[in-house]
Amino acid sequence: MNRPLLFLDVDGPLNPYAAKPERRPDGYITLRVPRNDAHEDDRGLSSRRRPLRLWLNPEHGRTLLQLGFELCWATTWMDDANRRIAPVLGLPELPFVDFGAVLLQERPDGVHWKTGPLVDYAGGRPFAWVDDEQSELDQTYVTAHHQGPGLLHHVNPRIGLRENDFRTLADYVRSLNTSRTTS
Ligand SMILES: [Mg+2]
């Protein structure tokens, strides 16, 4: 059976970059990787020379794999997520959305730059999108342009993915399966 897609952002949901620096949440490990200009928490020139600090929870890979989705990276890391993030989480190499020229390009209408490419990538297939940056405008865009179900699930970048987020995502998969067998 064709599983729904789960579009996964890294910085915010998996890496709670906005948490207080001295407060690494339980279960997380610290990773330092060379900086790439596209990363979201750049705070000026001086910080750009230092490696980027990430917090990741190695349990998250297994949990994500059990939700019933087909996982897909939807992040400024693009294919780097397979090199840097997936091994730490115990995830296999995943497909990723290639944002190409629209990467980090703000739109005049306020719709997030990821939203159009994600809707195009989904091509009408049901999806959930986990990110720390969606707004009402993105929901409106998805409702207008996506033919199937689409869940925009917002995660606080100070907190990252938690048990209740995983429950919401699992419930969403279940609701899709129920509507498929009853229609
Ligand atoms: Mg993010």
Side-chain angles (χ1 to χ4, degrees):
M1 191 166 62
N2 213 357
R3 290 188 290 174
L5 288 160
L6 179 57
F7 292 125
L8 267 177
D9 181 27
V10 170
D11 295 305
L14 291 168
N15 168 34
Y17 66 87
K20 290 208 168 108
E22 69 279 11
R23 294 237 183 110
R24 190 179 72 180
D26 284 348
Y28 282 72
I29 59 166
T30 301
L31 197 71
R32 293 183 199 279
V33 301
R35 229 164 243 280
N36 154 345
D37 282 347
H39 291 149
E40 288 169 20
D41 79 335
D42 277 351
R43 296 190 184 97
L45 276 177
S46 62
S47 75
R48 234 169 254 181
R49 296 191 201 100
R50 291 199 297 270
L52 186 72
R53 186 220 69 195
L54 281 106
W55 287 336
L56 293 172
N57 186 330
E59 292 291 312
H60 281 172
R62 194 160 41 114
T63 309
L64 287 165
L65 288 169
Q66 288 170 348
L67 293 174
F69 288 94
E70 184 175 308
L71 306 180
C72 179
W73 296 118
T75 163
T76 54
W77 291 76
M78 296 210 283
D79 53 339
D80 269 354
N82 280 323
R83 224 153 35 95
R84 303 281 185 189
I85 312 296
V88 181
L89 300 180
L91 288 171
E93 188 172 330
L94 300 176
F96 67 96
V97 180
D98 188 344
F99 294 107
V102 305
L103 181 73
L104 295 171
Q105 297 304 305
E106 277 184 33
R107 292 171 50 138
D109 62 3
V111 173
H112 198 281
W113 53 266
K114 286 183 185 175
T115 312
L118 297 189
V119 167
D120 292 347
Y121 187 101
R125 192 170 161 189
F127 71 82
W129 171 24
V130 166
D131 205 290
D132 60 315
E133 291 185 353
Q134 311 105 333
S135 74
E136 283 299 313
L137 293 169
D138 301 302
Q139 184 62 66
T140 306
Y141 182 95
V142 169
T143 306
H145 295 92
H146 179 60
Q147 303 305 314
L151 173 72
L152 275 59
H153 185 72
H154 187 266
V155 175
N156 185 333
R158 293 178 184 204
I159 297 171
L161 281 164
R162 288 261 182 94
E163 194 54 44
N164 56 333
D165 300 299
F166 293 123
R167 208 173 306 129
T168 301
L169 293 166
D171 286 347
Y172 176 67
V173 175
R174 260 191 298 275
S175 75
L176 293 174
N177 292 338
T178 308
S179 61
R180 236 182 303 209
T181 50
T182 53
S183 59

